[in-house]
Amino acid sequence: MASFRLRPRAMFHFALICVILLLSNLPVMANMYHRPNIVLILTDDLDVSIGGMIPLNKTRKLIGDAGITFPNTFVASPLCCPSRASILTGKYPHNHHVINNTLEGNCSSQSWQKTQEPATFPALLQKYGYYQTFFAGKYLNEYGNKEAGGVDHVPSGWDYWFALEKNSKYYNYTLSVNGKAQRHGQNYSEDYLTDVLANISIEFLQYKSNYRPFFMMVSTPAPHSPWTAAPQYEGQFPNVKAPRDPSFNIHGKDKHWLIRQAKTPMANSSVEFLDNAYRKRWRTLLSVDDLVEKVVKKLEVRGELANTYVIFTSDNGYHTGQFSLPLDKRQLYEFDIRVPLLVRGPNIKPNQTSPLLVANIDLGPTILDMAGYNANKTQMDGIRPLDVLVEYEGEGHNVSDPACPILGPGVSECFPDCVCEDSYNNTYACVRTLSQAANLQYCEFDDNEVFVEVYNLTADPFQLTNIAKTIDQEVLERMNHRLMMLQSCSGQSCRTPGVYDSR
């Protein structure tokens, strides 16, 4: 396949200008000039519960301090592909059917391309709002798989497409540039992916059409593994360690068997490994901070910042040593399901914090509303339900890991000391309720036990004690009922009032 590279830059400029001239001939509505521009910056595995936002000083200043922060934002599934599918479609996993990061799990499969991509919010922005749409970065984990069309496939709804083939990398990767493979090596100045995304974004802002509003989505690899920092940041945070919060390196004695199998206390080598990973994650975020600054400053220089919403969030959280689990996400606890959400834009006053419960399925319909499109016309499950459904289907098979036979069948994502982060029956669904009357989480596992975990986050913010066996039976039954309702909901029915009644 022929490769098309951004180098030399003139070739990119010429191609971009040609596309812009073609798009400029589309019908233009009279009120189009007043529609806001929208920028969505999506990070990968960025937690908010264990300090992930601390190194992002520019981001907090330029977006959070200039707008509103939503500290109670949750994902519909704590894993990259299902969560990203929920962001794009505004649907829970049981409605978009992406259950894990594999092609068999519907991650960027042909079925996904046929049934879901045409109804994503960018596709609706392009089709009905006359927005010019731009994507750069990680799309879905199996994007570019040859069995699903390879990098030739450009999803519906995107005018400009610069998508990473498969999972997060920083060097030695392939981009799909509007359906053509562009291969990158390991030269920092030309290939470091976070900076490449920043440069592509700035060029789009410089050369896009000025006659149509735009939606821009930039999806960085950071702080996902392999945690490769830019050279100038490799020595930062030399003394930082993973937070020793109350859940760090303790046994999850009353939790699901997968959590109970973790060895406590962790081996010194495991603690050293996760501390090192924590520092590396922070270092990768410094380039994300630079990207945010470049985009905001470019909007400001062009006189477009006042009419642009800028949204910053993540696809899921992360943990480093909580309940003696070394490194991963995909668990039901706050550190994995709670993510940052910062928004600035027209009519948003600075320095605000909202206590509202928000789900990532709310992003799509909210962005459509920002653009003047009635999200109620869609089949999306969000806008701001009163409680949030969290769904996850465990990865693994009903066979034993030869390296860890004592753990029995089904484990996966195992570390050298046989602490495993996932299993085929790590399949659960939770209701996360947050109001003045209740701050609760109720979860059921799809296993032989039908194991239940319940947490009162007001009294127990670190989820140390499972109160499933002590909570009032009536509350338990109501939350069980609400969970069943949410697991079968679709569209408007996902936004009906929550089960917890303060009476």
Side-chain angles (χ1 to χ4, degrees), residues 64-89:
D65 293 352
I68 186 167
T69 299
F70 295 88
N72 297 313
T73 302
F74 297 90
V75 296
S77 187
L79 189 64
C80 299
C81 203
S83 181
R84 289 165 181 267
S86 286
I87 291 171
L88 290 164
T89 62

Side-chain angles (χ1 to χ4, degrees), residues 361-383:
I361 60 168
D362 297 328
L363 289 174
T366 298
I367 289 171
L368 290 176
D369 275 357
M370 288 175 173
Y373 183 80
N374 185 358
N376 289 327
K377 294 180 180 180
T378 73
Q379 297 299 312
M380 294 182 177
D381 301 331
I383 285 183

Side-chain angles (χ1 to χ4, degrees), residues 348-361:
I348 296 179
K349 296 179 180 179
N351 295 306
Q352 292 189 83
T353 300
S354 171
L356 295 176
L357 179 68
V358 181
N360 65 349
I361 60 168

Side-chain angles (χ1 to χ4, degrees), residues 81-93 95-99 102-103 105-122 139-143 148 153-156 158 161:
C81 203
S83 181
R84 289 165 181 267
S86 286
I87 291 171
L88 290 164
T89 62
K91 296 177 181 179
Y92 283 121
N95 287 327
H96 60 58
H97 308 297
V98 178
I99 60 173
T102 67
L103 199 64
N106 203 30
C107 182
S108 203
S109 68
Q110 290 184 350
S111 174
W112 156 267
Q113 294 171 15
K114 181 179 179 180
T115 64
Q116 302 300 322
E117 282 184 343
T120 62
F121 76 84
Y139 178 56
L140 301 177
N141 295 56
E142 284 296 324
Y143 172 75
H153 171 68
V154 177
S156 304
W158 299 103
W161 181 251

